Amino acid sequence: MDKDISYGDDYKYIPATSVNSGAGLEILPNIYCYTIQIVNICFVGNPEAQDFVLVDTGMPKSSDEIIAVAEERFGKGNFPKAIILTHGHFDHVGAVVDLVKHWEVPVYAHRLELPFLTGKKSYPEPDSGVEGGLVAKASAIFPNDPINLGSSILELPADGSIPGMPDWRWIHTPGHSPGHISLYRDEDHFLIAGDAFVTVKQDSLYKVMIQDREVHGPPRYFTTDWEAAKKSVQILKALNPAIAVTGHGEPVHKEEMSAGLEKLVNTFDQTAVPDYGQYVNRKEY
Ligand SMILES: [Zn+2]
Ligand SMILES: [Zn+2]
């Protein structure tokens, strides 16, 4: 395994939190979600089977917490088969370098996300001037330099399958980032949406802190292609998910899920796309 792996130059602890920080939720016996400050990670796999995969890796400096949560649920010395990244933003790769060093497991992401995970390309600067609340304003301090996972990062299989998650498939849902993916299990219509849409108004500090639940468009400060983001939400709605775990906010299901997604699709241009911001009306960056 490649030992020369590293976080980005601007890697640092970000002091942001919510009422759900440190809380775990067993949504199903084989899906356990846990909130690191303001972002969710998911352990997929049955504790009895002792076979699991981790989806996303939380905020910077959270590796000790994630390892402790994994050991408590799956037993000490039991490692995930793989880490799957919905995308490479700092709040989803925050612990990944330490976790790879500790567990020595492969990490998978979409091909278009690899430049941001192999030290080649920075994400665009977060748009702290975008229309939105205090989190959007504070986003200037968010890390956007690329991390480098070296040979530990692998491209997701082109056939849509997900290593270590045989009943699942990945769906390309770009817009929030170029190689953003969502994970879907057809059998029970379970969706792990990453930041393709979220269930809290992530731009608002108050709503993030209290985790006021509402199906919402992707976090604005990092979303660079709003046209693609809209198409991605339409794709996810067409799947007719029964339950969704998103990168930010609490899980939604049943009526709340379908009604929320329907409303988001129908009002996307008004409610999700900001009225102003440097990435509005830009297809590429
Ligand atoms: Zn993101
Ligand atoms: Zn996020």
Side-chain angles (χ1 to χ4, degrees):
M1 186 148 303
D2 195 341
K3 295 287 174 211
D4 296 322
I5 63 175
S6 60
Y7 291 111
D9 293 339
D10 58 355
Y11 181 78
K12 59 179 172 295
Y13 175 78
I14 298 294
T17 197
S18 74
V19 289
N20 288 340
S21 181
L25 182 65
E26 185 179 80
I27 300 176
L28 290 170
N30 60 14
I31 300 183
Y32 183 76
C33 292
Y34 184 87
T35 307
I36 304 278
Q37 297 174 247
I38 56 163
V39 68
N40 301 318
I41 60 173
C42 278
F43 295 95
V44 179
N46 217 308
E48 284 81 62
Q50 300 249 314
D51 200 3
F52 68 104
V53 162
L54 175 62
V55 179
D56 284 345
T57 66
M59 296 284 278
K61 315 271 183 189
S62 64
S63 62
D64 289 348
E65 188 176 355
I66 294 175
I67 291 165
V69 172
E71 287 183 349
E72 196 182 321
R73 186 163 176 82
F74 298 96
K76 218 172 160 59
N78 192 17
F79 303 158
K81 270 192 158 175
I83 294 170
I84 313 294
L85 297 176
T86 59
H87 62 304
H89 284 154
F90 80 97
D91 50 333
H92 299 254
V93 301
V96 73
V97 167
D98 294 289
L99 294 178
V100 164
K101 285 180 178 167
H102 185 78
W103 285 332
E104 299 197 353
V105 291
V107 184
Y108 290 89
H110 189 276
R111 178 176 49 86
L112 295 176
E113 211 69 1
L114 297 187
F116 311 108
L117 299 167
T118 50
K120 293 197 176 68
K121 195 174 174 188
S122 290
Y123 284 108
E125 291 292 330
D127 183 4
S128 57
V130 73
E131 183 212 354
L134 274 176
V135 175
K137 302 264 178 299
S139 66
I141 64 162
F142 292 170
N144 67 315
D145 284 350
I147 66 168
N148 189 358
L149 288 169
S151 59
S152 296
I153 182 79
L154 300 166
E155 188 180 326
L156 280 161
D159 64 2
S161 63
I162 306 175
M165 296 173 70
D167 302 329
W168 294 74
R169 59 189 168 105
W170 62 264
I171 299 159
H172 189 203
T173 44
H176 179 62
S177 75
H180 187 286
I181 60 149
S182 303
L183 292 74
Y184 197 64
R185 185 163 65 185
D186 291 277
E187 179 186 293
D188 58 354
H189 297 264
F190 201 107
L191 174 67
I192 299 175
D195 287 355
F197 70 89
V198 295
T199 58
V200 65
K201 191 171 191 294
Q202 187 62 19
D203 316 303
S204 158
L205 181 64
Y206 176 70
K207 295 206 166 180
V208 166
M209 280 177 72
I210 64 164
Q211 294 284 289
D212 186 24
R213 204 165 63 233
E214 177 191 29
V215 173
H216 214 273
R220 288 176 166 175
Y221 40 86
F222 268 143
T223 302
T224 45
D225 186 339
W226 284 99
E227 214 167 291
K230 184 179 177 179
K231 279 193 197 116
S232 292
V233 171
Q234 289 167 338
I235 288 167
L236 296 179
K237 181 188 173 290
L239 294 168
N240 204 11
I243 180 165
V245 176
T246 62
H248 306 273
E250 296 173 348
V252 284
H253 70 299
K254 295 183 180 163
E255 247 319 279
E256 190 182 11
M257 162 85 273
S258 49
L261 211 42
E262 168 112 32
K263 187 172 165 212
L264 177 60
V265 164
N266 292 337
T267 64
F268 196 87
D269 292 335
Q270 294 82 45
T271 61
V273 181
D275 287 345
Y276 53 87
Q278 59 175 313
Y279 303 119
V280 183
N281 299 324
R282 278 182 64 178
K283 285 199 80 168
E284 309 263 325
Y285 54 86

